[in-house]
Every structure is written in C-alpha cells, then in structure tokens.
Amino acid sequence: MDYSFDFASVFRNFGPLWQGLWVTVQLTLAANIVGLTLGFGLALLVMSRWAVVRIPVMLFIEFFRCTPAIIQIVWFFYCVPMLFDVFLGSMTMGIMALGLNLAAFNAEAYRASIQAVPREQLDAGVALGLNPLQRIAYIVLPTAVRNSIPVLLTNGIGTFQQSALVAIVAVQDLMYQGKTLATQTYRPIETFTIIALIYFAVSFPVSQIVGSLERRREVLAS
C-alpha cells in the first residue's frame, strides 16, 4: 500500500470536530432525558391491566425496538413534515427520533426492574396509607431506577453512538463535521480514525462504569 499518513492535516483543522462533538453531546443528553422519563411512563402503561392502554403502548415499544434507528430518523425528518405539516429544526427532530427510540428500550429495562420490586415493599406502602401515585413515586421508581442503572447507562451510551446517524439528515454533529473535513482535506482514513477514537474515548469509560456496577450488584446479591 503506497499511502502516506498525515494526521497533522486533521489536527490543524480540529475546530469543527470539537464543535461537532459538542452537538453530539447535546443531542445525546437531550435524547437521554426523553428516554429516561418517557421510558418509565411507558413501562407503567405497558403493565396496565387494561388492554386498551397496554396494547398500543406495547406496539409503540416493539415498533421502535424492531426497526432500524436510521429508518426512524429519516422518517421523522421527511415524513412528519409531509404528513402533519409540522416543521421543526433538525436538532429537535434528531432529539425526538433518538429519544423515542431510547425510550422504547428503556421501557423494557424499567419493566423488568418494576416486576422485580418485592411485593412486601408494595404491601408496606399500602399499610402506610400511600395512594397508588405515592407508591410509584416513593417505592417503585427509586427501586426500579436503582436496579436498571447498568442497562440505562448501556442504552445511553448506545444512543451516543447511534447519534452519528443524524449526519445523513444534515445535523452538524461529530460525524457530519468529520465527513466534511475528510472531503476538504482528502484524508478520510486519518479523519475517520480520529473520529472513531473520539467515540471510543467517550464510550469506554462509561462501559467500565457499567461493568463495575454489574459486578457490585452481583456481590451484593450473593
């Protein structure tokens, strides 16, 4: 292979990559806020005793879990304005698409954690005179969040990685800026190698935290 590597040409133009990384972080944080809050609500609804509530929510969750994220992103960007005459900014659309996708996966994590809440704790809440909303707020929610933290963190970092898909609809995230820089410098190998290392540098510490939490849970459980 007769190729001369030149990473310096990328580092000399690193400013746009920093800007793109900041957009990616904002997109990820906003999507995680949507996914964490909406996911818990979906988990409660999918466990409803009423089929008229449970079935539509279950279909919503399965749709977002069983279709590619890239299709969901493209659908939001191109189909929502055409069908509903709603025109939002590209960043907002990206947050909605990634947030709803994350909410569907988080809902399953929450549901498993909610079902693992000991019945004795719920009975104690009833004995203390707590109403259903109070039992959810003071008993179910804290326990479910605590038990599902490793999965929620894994899903969150997955959203950070999937956020690169919004580059195809012109959101100026890290991937978009990297594609632009690779075109301008004619250095795609160096540019995308550096982008991959940036994603790794952010994702790897979180994955180690997840592993540590899981090992701690195993120790406590034993």
Side-chain angles (χ1 to χ4, degrees):
M1 182 181 67
D2 186 16
Y3 184 85
S4 178
F5 289 94
D6 181 16
F7 285 93
S9 63
V10 178
F11 286 112
R12 284 195 299 267
N13 300 278
F14 208 79
L17 295 184
W18 280 120
Q19 296 172 9
L21 178 59
W22 175 235
V23 172
T24 295
V25 169
Q26 289 178 299
L27 190 65
T28 303
L29 290 177
N32 269 275
I33 291 172
V34 174
L36 289 171
T37 54
L38 181 60
F40 185 75
L42 292 174
L44 294 176
L45 292 175
V46 82
M47 296 174 64
S48 172
R49 69 181 72 177
W50 296 294
V52 68
V53 175
R54 183 178 65 254
I55 293 176
V57 175
M58 181 183 65
L59 292 175
F60 174 89
I61 292 173
E62 293 304 320
F63 172 80
F64 278 94
R65 292 181 67 219
C66 298
T67 55
I70 191 170
I71 297 297
Q72 298 165 18
I73 291 170
V74 171
W75 195 91
F76 266 91
F77 273 84
Y78 295 109
C79 299
V80 168
M82 295 173 63
L83 294 174
F84 304 105
D85 198 28
V86 175
F87 298 90
L88 301 174
S90 58
M91 188 73 170
T92 303
M93 284 293 195
I95 291 170
M96 288 177 58
L98 292 173
L100 291 176
N101 177 277
L102 180 59
F105 285 91
N106 283 350
E108 287 300 292
Y110 280 128
R111 183 181 61 82
S113 297
I114 290 171
Q115 291 176 336
V117 175
R119 183 65 193 179
E120 293 78 8
Q121 293 185 14
L122 298 176
D123 293 338
V126 174
L128 291 172
L130 300 179
N131 60 45
L133 289 179
Q134 289 174 324
R135 292 199 295 272
I136 290 173
Y138 300 127
I139 298 175
V140 176
L141 178 59
T143 304
V145 171
R146 183 171 60 251
N147 291 340
S148 58
I149 282 178
V151 179
L152 296 178
L153 286 174
T154 299
N155 291 346
I157 201 63
T159 297
F160 171 72
Q161 295 163 355
Q162 282 190 335
S163 68
L165 297 173
V166 300
I168 66 171
V169 286
V171 176
Q172 297 184 6
D173 69 328
L174 177 59
M175 187 64 182
Y176 180 91
Q177 297 287 7
K179 288 168 57 180
T180 302
L181 183 58
T183 302
Q184 293 173 346
T185 61
Y186 300 100
R187 291 290 172 179
I189 296 177
E190 293 89 336
T191 301
F192 291 117
T193 298
I194 291 173
I195 290 174
L197 291 174
I198 292 173
Y199 279 108
F200 176 80
V202 176
S203 301
F204 182 72
V206 178
S207 69
Q208 296 304 299
I209 293 173
V210 172
S212 177
L213 290 174
E214 289 178 341
R215 288 190 294 271
R216 183 178 179 184
R217 284 185 59 191
E218 291 173 358
V219 171
L220 293 176
S222 62

